[in-house]
Amino acid sequence: MMRIACLGGGPAGLYFAISMKLRDPAHQIDLFERNRPDDTFGWGVVFSDQTVENLMANDPLSGSVIRDEFAHWDDIDVHIHGQTIRSSGHGFIGIGRKRLLNILQDRARELGVDLHFEHEASPDLADWSDYDLVIAADGANSRIRTRYEEHFGVDIQVRQNKFFWFGTAKVFDAFTFAFEETEAGWVWAHAYRFDDDLSTFIVEMAPDTWERLGLDRMDQPEAIALCERIFAKYLDGHSLMSNAAHLKAPEAWLQFRRIICDRWSYQNLILLGDAAHTAHFSIGSGTKLALEDAIKLAEVLNRPGLSRERALEEYREERNLEVLKLQNSARNSTEWFETLDRYLHFEPIQFAYSLLTRSQRVSHENLRLRDRPWLESVERWFQSKAMGTPVNDPAPPMFAPYKLRDMKLVNRVVVSPMAMYSAQEGTPTDFHLVHYGTRAQGGAGLVYTEMTCVSPEGRITPGCAGLYAPEHVAAWKRIVDFVHGHGKAKFCLQLGHSGPKGSTKVGWEGYDVPLESGNWPVMAASDAPWSPANQVPEPMTRADMDAVRDQFVEAVMKGLKAGFDMIELHAAHGYLLSSFITPLTNKRTDEYGGSLENRLRYPLEIFRAMRDAWPADKPMSVRISANDWMGEQGVTPDEAVLIAEAFTQAGADLIDVSAGQTWAECKPIYGRMFQTPFADQIRNEARVSTMAVGNIYETDHVNSILAAGRADLVALARPHLIDPMWTLRAAAQQDYRGVVVPPPYLAGMSQLARNLAREAELKA
Ligand SMILES: Cc1cc2nc3c(=O)[nH]c(=O)nc-3n(C[C@H](O)[C@H](O)[C@H](O)COP(=O)(O)OP(=O)(O)OC[C@H]3O[C@@H](n4cnc5c(N)ncnc54)[C@H](O)[C@@H]3O)c2cc1C
Ligand SMILES: Cc1cc2nc3c(=O)[nH]c(=O)nc-3n(C[C@H](O)[C@H](O)[C@H](O)COP(=O)(O)O)c2cc1C
């Protein structure tokens, strides 16, 4: 038996008290809530079916009352630019917050919890010395957590947008996102029904729009009247209701606070629900997390033989993992609404797709499961746009064609540049013929060469391929001819110079490790070595710059002779040109260092010289590191937008958006599709074509990225190392018949398609 004080009577505190009593009725629990039983902020909350199952398993009695009162709905309506895009199958359930709390209060009383309303709980632990445990369930602004802040390692991030949680008697039959343009900027609402005659209606906007609308100076009735006018066409004459009337109007507009805590307990004080963590309302999971925390904490505290210390460790470890996963999705979703301007030029159907997939928890195939006809309408729209003519049959977005200058790609899948370290004195060998030949036959629309170096000193390793000698031209031409002669793939030559990362061992003997012997001198923007183990590079003189520029131009002309379709300039990953762009390694004080304009001067000079030498009908791209992963000290994604704009003005048709590898100490945040947000930002802020790359490996990733307009092309590197036929396999998986299969391989392709279809049938 334990004596427990629960501070706060929201979902977390009430459900914890219930869950404890269910496990041991002998526990004595006092719950203190500052409000009256029927006062509450907010209106309705949404849940998933999974949460309801968890509630039923924990307490079938309250679970079934809650379940029976839920409002269910399947559709999401997105209103934008005068159009409504409706998709279905989303399966939401909602309940009024007040009703949920009343159900939980009744159940807690019935189980013998002592509820003390209108009782302001002291934030001082000394006042709770009669209790074995003190539960901080007093919400995101927890006073007691704040008092002992340093023991919890609290991290609070205040997000920028302003929102107001209204209610309305207008009953929405779909979860509704309504975007309205005002003279002060865009304002939008998240609205959903939570019982027979009420809906939640959250109004959100950017802070500058809020100020321009004068909301920082309006009282509540004025603010409400303004919002009612903006959303009049959705409200059908119903008013917006506030239950924050006690607050002055500007304070009633909130900014979301993302909270995480390193530790969830201190002495006998334990954090629960929003006091421990928050998740942005746009993914609607705060109440679910609070209830599931409560179940877990009650379970570990009552498990026989488990020490208090172990119980709290298990509670924190398990719940924190769940919280981090949700906060990751919530961050994506929050950022989507904060960077809404990026997507407003999309056609409504793509805007809706982007909105539905914003958290990256919902993908192309999830949407197919939810609403196949709608997803197929997106696919038809995407194909029609790509073909420039209406298309009746839906097809996966990855199989839409794409055009760069006069070069036509049959699809959007790209074999990313990958150094093979298998050349001899810069000459590609039979290995390269087989390597590129196989990948070109594997179905990708575009195949990149590895970084091909413009001079012997410009190589990374002695095994790197080059294009600086006549024998290199002949060897590459043999490969290009094979690629062109055996399929539809186009072939892009990536040209680069290793700079400070040169004169190192081949990849599998140790990345960026200097050679045992035979090192050659290296150069860079400044004398910053890649690592203490690497050579100190010689800062480039103007004469060096001229020489290297001419080598790039010479390599372009050789590339033309060899028959390549496209050229990419490698200006990423800490090599020579990247050493100019990133301020981490460019310490020059002349016109090539300092401001971004100066740091870009030499890379742009090279790009322009290459562009002049390359035929106007053939495209060029540039690979950049869009984030040095070093915060403001290095290149940031915002700066990458400017870099992309500068190269586009110099004639680039595509920005190949990689990141990092520019500074040995940088700390990338890995994950699936981890660099795609940069391709998205660059594409939709600079309005240029981008290629996404980096830990993209499923067909679903590729289709989602393309349909959501996050990039125009998608490159896969490592997946193509072990599966050169990645695109053919993807076509078979998706039962797409339009892919070009080399005739000798047709039998294999049809068998694969048959087997996969059979497997899918069995699974279904
Ligand atoms: C605009 C908005 C929309 C949301 N939409 C959803 C949604 O759709 N789905 C969802 O799951 N979640 C949603 N949430 C989040 C959800 O409301 C919270 O995550 C959830 O309520 C957390 O429960 P809790 O019990 O931890 O905290 P709270 O619900 O905040 O409860 C804390 C309680 O403690 C009381 N209290 C605070 N201090 C004291 C004190 N000193 N003494 C006594 N009592 C005190 C408060 O009065 C309150 O009743 C939304 C939140 C916002 C702001
Ligand atoms: C073995 C190997 C060699 C690589 N060589 C190059 C290269 O020559 N040029 C380049 O720009 N990127 C190179 N990369 C980076 C890839 O093009 C790609 O950006 C990176 O591997 C992330 O994509 P992935 O997750 O699909 O592998 C190389 C990657 C690998 C694995």
Side-chain angles (χ1 to χ4, degrees):
M1 190 280 278
M2 284 184 261
R3 261 206 99 200
I4 302 171
C6 242
L7 319 188
L14 285 165
Y15 206 60
F16 171 74
I18 292 169
S19 304
M20 287 300 280
K21 280 289 205 181
L22 284 169
R23 284 165 179 80
D24 185 351
H27 292 311
Q28 279 181 26
I29 306 179
D30 287 304
L31 183 144
F32 302 92
E33 165 59 48
R34 62 154 68 113
N35 293 329
R36 288 172 300 186
D38 282 337
D39 294 339
T40 183
F41 76 91
W43 297 90
V45 291
V46 290
F47 282 139
S48 68
D49 290 333
Q50 180 60 50
T51 312
V52 181
E53 273 174 36
N54 296 344
L55 297 185
M56 290 295 291
N58 186 57
D59 178 23
L61 243 160
S62 61
S64 53
V65 178
I66 295 169
R67 188 193 52 194
D68 294 346
E69 296 212 12
F70 270 128
H72 290 249
W73 70 101
D74 264 343
D75 299 343
I76 295 186
D77 281 353
V78 180
H79 301 271
I80 178 84
H81 302 311
Q83 279 191 40
T84 302
I85 306 291
R86 171 168 287 200
S87 56
S88 195
H90 300 288
F92 288 102
I93 35 194
I95 189 166
R97 179 178 159 98
K98 198 190 279 185
R99 184 64 197 126
L100 174 70
L101 292 184
N102 288 154
I103 295 170
L104 298 182
Q105 287 160 4
D106 290 347
R107 181 70 172 135
R109 256 187 230 106
E110 187 181 291
L111 290 167
V113 179
D114 287 318
L115 302 177
H116 310 269
F117 289 98
E118 298 181 74
H119 185 122
E120 178 72 31
S122 156
D124 196 338
L125 264 182
D127 294 331
W128 303 102
S129 55
D130 294 350
Y131 291 91
D132 302 313
L133 284 183
V134 183
I135 308 296
D138 49 348
N141 298 324
S142 169
R143 285 174 66 203
I144 197 157
R145 182 201 64 218
T146 309
R147 168 70 62 92
Y148 299 101
E149 202 158 40
E150 71 276 18
H151 301 287
F152 293 116
V154 186
D155 178 29
I156 299 180
Q157 200 182 65
V158 181
R159 303 304 309 209
Q160 65 170 45
N161 283 357
K162 298 278 186 183
F163 68 91
F164 201 130
W165 205 359
F166 294 112
T168 175
K170 154 82 196 199
V171 176
F172 290 93
D173 62 349
F175 194 113
T176 297
F177 290 103
F179 294 84
E180 284 299 311
E181 190 173 19
T182 70
E183 72 285 1
W186 284 81
V187 180
W188 58 97
H190 314 232
Y192 50 91
R193 178 166 73 87
F194 61 82
D195 66 21
D196 289 341
D197 42 22
L198 281 173
S199 299
T200 291
F201 197 93
I202 303 170
V203 175
E204 186 184 358
M205 68 195 79
D208 48 351
T209 306
W210 184 75
E211 275 175 28
R212 280 196 295 265
L213 282 173
L215 285 162
D216 53 339
R217 300 178 297 279
M218 282 183 203
D219 60 21
Q220 275 206 37
E222 274 181 291
I224 289 173
L226 176 65
C227 291
E228 284 170 350
R229 273 202 303 282
I230 294 172
F231 294 105
K233 64 176 178 236
Y234 306 100
L235 291 169
D236 294 339
H238 293 284
S239 56
L240 291 178
M241 300 177 274
S242 156
N243 53 14
H246 57 290
L247 295 173
K248 283 210 210 108
E251 282 86 62
W253 288 94
L254 304 175
Q255 279 169 276
F256 179 74
R257 285 155 36 98
R258 195 280 282 124
I259 297 173
I260 35 179
C261 293
D262 288 341
R263 291 165 296 282
W264 290 22
S265 58
Y266 165 64
Q267 297 185 0
N268 63 340
L269 175 64
I270 306 171
L271 304 182
L272 192 67
D274 268 18
H277 49 70
T278 54
H280 193 254
F281 57 86
S282 65
I283 65 160
S285 295
T287 308
K288 158 202 157 73
L289 285 178
L291 296 173
E292 290 171 355
D293 280 1
I295 298 174
K296 181 68 194 176
L297 182 59
E299 191 263 306
V300 290
L301 288 175
N302 288 285
R303 197 186 305 156
L306 195 63
S307 68
R308 170 85 56 84
E309 198 182 21
R310 258 314 292 145
L312 292 182
E313 257 172 47
E314 184 178 323
Y315 161 63
R316 197 253 170 201
E317 264 168 33
E318 189 180 305
R319 295 305 304 151
N320 196 42
L321 192 68
E322 196 58 28
V323 167
L324 291 180
K325 275 197 236 156
L326 263 171
Q327 281 189 340
N328 195 28
S329 305
R331 191 198 56 233
N332 294 334
S333 175
T334 314
E335 282 175 5
W336 192 91
F337 286 104
E338 286 177 352
T339 55
L340 183 75
D341 282 359
R342 274 184 209 162
Y343 311 108
L344 287 164
H345 67 285
F346 283 6
E347 286 182 39
I349 192 164
Q350 189 170 37
F351 181 86
Y353 184 101
S354 173
L355 172 60
L356 294 176
T357 56
R358 69 193 180 281
S359 74
Q360 295 196 10
R361 273 198 307 182
V362 176
S363 69
H364 199 72
E365 291 310 314
N366 296 143
L367 288 174
R368 196 187 306 281
L369 286 176
R370 290 176 185 205
D371 188 346
R372 177 180 279 271
W374 185 75
L375 203 260
E376 289 182 354
S377 76
V378 173
E379 294 190 336
R380 268 194 295 275
W381 168 83
F382 195 88
Q383 288 291 333
S384 304
K385 203 148 171 71
M387 311 278 277
T389 172
V391 167
N392 288 326
D393 292 331
M398 69 166 71
F399 292 111
Y402 196 65
K403 196 167 170 228
L404 288 166
R405 300 214 181 198
D406 283 356
M407 184 183 82
K408 292 184 184 137
L409 300 177
V410 288
N411 62 52
R412 312 279 183 120
V413 184
V414 178
V415 178
S416 198
M418 277 181 289
M420 291 291 107
Y421 311 112
S422 302
Q424 283 166 4
E425 302 296 332
T427 310
T429 63
D430 284 354
F431 171 87
H432 294 86
L433 176 69
V434 175
H435 170 73
Y436 291 113
T438 315
R439 276 143 196 88
Q441 291 179 312
L446 178 63
V447 177
Y448 271 71
T449 69
E450 60 209 273
M451 176 169 121
T452 302
C453 308
V454 298
S455 66
E457 323 68 68
R459 290 175 303 164
I460 310 167
T461 75
C464 285
L467 197 41
Y468 47 82
E471 58 273 25
H472 299 164
V473 182
W476 276 119
K477 184 166 187 319
R478 179 167 168 246
I479 301 169
V480 175
D481 288 347
F482 182 91
V483 168
H484 288 160
H486 292 84
K488 296 266 186 211
K490 300 294 179 191
F491 204 12
C492 177
L493 166 67
Q494 188 190 54
L495 287 176
H497 187 299
S498 55
K501 290 170 100 172
S503 189
T504 54
K505 294 183 179 178
V506 297
W508 51 86
E509 288 177 4
Y511 276 107
D512 305 322
V513 178
L515 296 169
E516 302 289 340
S517 62
N519 280 292
W520 58 86
V522 302
M523 57 171 124
S526 307
D527 57 0
W530 169 247
S531 81
N534 290 77
Q535 283 185 60
V536 175
E538 198 58 43
M540 284 181 95
T541 62
R542 187 58 241 189
D544 293 331
M545 290 185 187
D546 290 344
V548 170
R549 181 201 54 221
D550 295 347
Q551 288 164 356
F552 269 98
V553 171
E554 185 53 37
V556 167
M557 293 191 307
K558 287 189 164 57
L560 188 60
K561 270 197 206 138
F564 283 102
D565 303 293
M566 174 177 172
I567 285 195
E568 173 164 289
L569 173 63
H570 193 340
H573 301 170
Y575 297 116
L576 186 74
L577 300 180
S578 170
S579 84
F580 276 83
I581 299 175
T582 168
L584 297 166
T585 50
N586 184 340
K587 301 292 171 198
R588 296 177 77 103
T589 51
D590 59 6
E591 69 267 42
Y592 301 101
S595 66
L596 178 64
E597 189 188 354
N598 282 359
R599 286 182 276 123
L600 275 175
R601 196 179 303 279
Y602 183 55
L604 285 174
E605 177 184 328
I606 294 208
F607 190 87
R608 283 198 197 95
M610 291 166 73
R611 185 67 267 182
D612 287 346
W614 187 241
D617 58 345
K618 289 180 187 266
M620 277 185 71
S621 61
V622 58
R623 176 166 268 209
I624 62 167
S625 285
N627 190 351
D628 284 338
W629 301 109
M630 290 291 290
E632 296 295 319
Q633 284 169 273
V635 169
T636 59
D638 285 347
E639 214 177 21
V641 174
L642 304 175
I643 295 171
E645 278 169 350
F647 277 108
T648 304
Q649 274 161 23
D653 306 293
L654 177 77
I655 308 296
D656 175 358
V657 186
S658 186
Q661 299 174 55
T662 48
W663 187 245
E665 315 274 290
C666 72
K667 303 247 174 323
I669 302 168
Y670 292 112
R672 79 205 144 98
M673 304 183 269
F674 72 116
Q675 296 171 160
T676 300
F678 314 135
D680 180 352
Q681 180 174 356
I682 291 172
R683 178 179 193 269
N684 296 308
E685 287 186 8
R687 307 281 173 91
V688 298
S689 299
T690 61
M691 178 159 81
V693 66
N695 216 12
I696 299 165
Y697 48 90
E698 287 183 2
T699 54
D700 205 14
H701 299 162
V702 180
N703 287 328
S704 305
I705 291 169
L706 293 168
R710 300 194 174 102
D712 299 280
L713 297 177
V714 177
L716 294 85
R718 288 164 296 176
H720 276 118
L721 284 183
I722 39 89
D723 190 358
M725 305 285 162
W726 191 92
T727 307
L728 294 187
R729 192 182 294 281
Q733 267 168 8
Q734 299 172 94
D735 198 20
Y736 173 72
R737 309 289 165 88
V739 73
V740 182
V741 184
Y745 300 163
L746 275 167
M749 183 68 180
S750 41
Q751 190 206 25
L752 178 62
R754 257 198 322 274
N755 287 343
L756 289 172
R758 201 170 306 136
E759 269 173 34
E761 246 169 55
L762 283 175
K763 248 194 218 158

